[in-house]
Amino acid sequence: MVMLVDNRVEPIDLADAFVQRLDRLHSAPKVAQQVLQLTRDPNSNIDDIVKCVEHDPGLAAKILQVVNSSKYGVARQITSIKHGVSYLGKDAIRMLTISFSMVESLTKRSKGRIFADYWQRALTIASISSYLADHHKCLKKDEAYTAGLLADVGILVFSQVEREQYSLIYESYPHGDALITGERQYFGFDHALLGARLLDHWDIPLEIVTAVENHHGTNQHGCPLGVALRTGTLLAGSLWNISSTEYLEAEDILISFFDLNEQQIETLIADCKQDVAESAEFFGVNLEG
């Protein structure tokens, strides 16, 4: 593989240029962009969001599926988009739009193993981060879940913009420090920075952007969301191998930062495995690749 890095250009500028190439190749769904704008606007109202959502039957169906799921436990089935949007509120609608429209649009052209790996890791990190929200007062479940789902979104951008070349790189390095190093050697930046720049481009809250940028590193500076994502990232690579160094590092964080005991950690692992399987079905993805 020929090195492409121009050392005179800052990594953040190289990553931003990649995001611009993605825009030219594969613009985000129009309805999703409009929903994100409306949910960010404090002056917009629910009717505006409803009208927008109704133009995307797939997103509308997902919203109804979510609001009627066991997570929300509504007494009566909700069949109206307006009722569903009103019940969930702007923040939840915003996160669902990012999850279902923006991310799904990026996974459509990703190669088999990258697609399966992305969802396996994304759902694991999301599940772990969401679980940890119950153990830290500064974490919000919906925000933590969405941040986890987006942690590796830079991989999807690489896969879209440099499809064949990135597939070779991805196959050559195990996910983690080795893949980060390989990406930096070839592109001059890694998928964590690339994902963060895409999320900044989408005007995602800075806390999520920062957590995504640092999810492979230890420089979380005590930020609960960043620490949750780091923990989920470590477990995504070690959930079924609890003797690995990644698992031991995650276990240490769970004990020291989130104050979990051994029994709670065992419960977290069991719940996560079940949640990943259920979420894969919910998102309509096949984790077998």
Side-chain angles (χ1 to χ4, degrees), residues 16-28 161 201:
D16 283 341
F18 233 74
V19 171
Q20 290 169 11
R21 288 177 64 191
L22 177 71
D23 269 351
R24 291 193 292 271
L25 288 171
H26 185 85
S27 59
V161 178
H201 180 64

Side-chain angles (χ1 to χ4, degrees), residues 35 42 88-89 117 132 143 145 171 228 242:
V35 171
L88 293 172
D117 281 2
L132 292 176
E143 185 176 75
Y145 191 91
E171 294 288 341
I242 62 173

Side-chain angles (χ1 to χ4, degrees), residues 75-93:
R76 255 184 173 174
Q77 185 177 31
I78 294 176
T79 57
S80 156
I81 293 298
K82 183 172 183 178
H83 189 182
V85 170
S86 300
Y87 187 90
L88 293 172
K90 283 186 179 182
D91 287 346
I93 293 298

Side-chain angles (χ1 to χ4, degrees), residues 29-227:
K30 188 174 181 180
V31 169
Q33 293 184 70
Q34 291 172 341
V35 171
L36 293 185
Q37 289 173 357
L38 287 170
T39 53
R40 284 197 304 265
D41 182 359
N43 296 317
S44 68
N45 57 52
I46 292 297
D47 287 339
D48 294 331
I49 298 172
V50 169
K51 287 177 185 176
C52 195
V53 168
E54 287 176 339
H55 283 90
D56 186 335
L59 178 59
K62 288 292 188 184
I63 287 172
L64 289 178
Q65 186 180 3
V66 168
V67 77
N68 287 302
S69 69
S70 58
K71 178 181 178 181
Y72 288 94
V74 293
R76 255 184 173 174
Q77 185 177 31
I78 294 176
T79 57
S80 156
I81 293 298
K82 183 172 183 178
H83 189 182
V85 170
S86 300
Y87 187 90
L88 293 172
K90 283 186 179 182
D91 287 346
I93 293 298
R94 177 175 172 74
M95 297 306 172
L96 287 172
T97 301
I98 293 168
S99 302
F100 290 119
S101 291
M102 311 296 263
V103 173
E104 283 191 347
S105 72
L106 286 176
T107 58
K108 284 179 181 175
R109 291 181 62 250
S110 295
K111 287 203 161 192
R113 185 189 158 194
I114 290 177
F115 176 90
D117 281 2
Y118 175 82
W119 280 109
Q120 179 85 57
R121 292 184 63 85
L123 294 175
T124 301
I125 300 171
S127 177
I128 296 292
S129 300
S130 177
Y131 180 96
L132 292 176
D134 290 331
H135 295 272
H136 201 289
K137 63 182 181 181
C138 294
L139 277 174
K140 299 177 183 176
K141 287 185 78 74
D142 285 346
E143 185 176 75
Y145 191 91
T146 301
L149 209 60
L150 296 171
D152 281 331
V153 73
I155 285 176
L156 300 181
V157 181
F158 273 135
S159 182
Q160 295 287 323
V161 178
E162 289 285 351
R163 183 174 168 81
E164 297 302 325
Q165 189 59 62
Y166 187 69
S167 180
L168 291 174
I169 293 170
Y170 192 83
E171 294 288 341
S172 301
Y173 301 97
H175 199 115
D177 291 342
L179 180 60
I180 291 288
T181 299
E183 291 167 345
R184 288 174 179 171
Q185 287 176 342
Y186 189 82
F187 295 107
F189 57 95
D190 55 56
H191 69 264
L193 176 60
L194 180 56
R197 298 314 298 158
L198 175 66
L199 300 183
D200 184 70
H201 180 64
W202 285 351
D203 203 17
I204 302 302
L206 180 60
E207 187 178 15
I208 292 180
V209 173
T210 302
V212 166
E213 182 175 348
N214 295 313
H215 76 279
H216 273 291
T218 56
N219 53 332
Q220 306 299 339
H221 305 296
C223 168
L225 183 59
V227 177

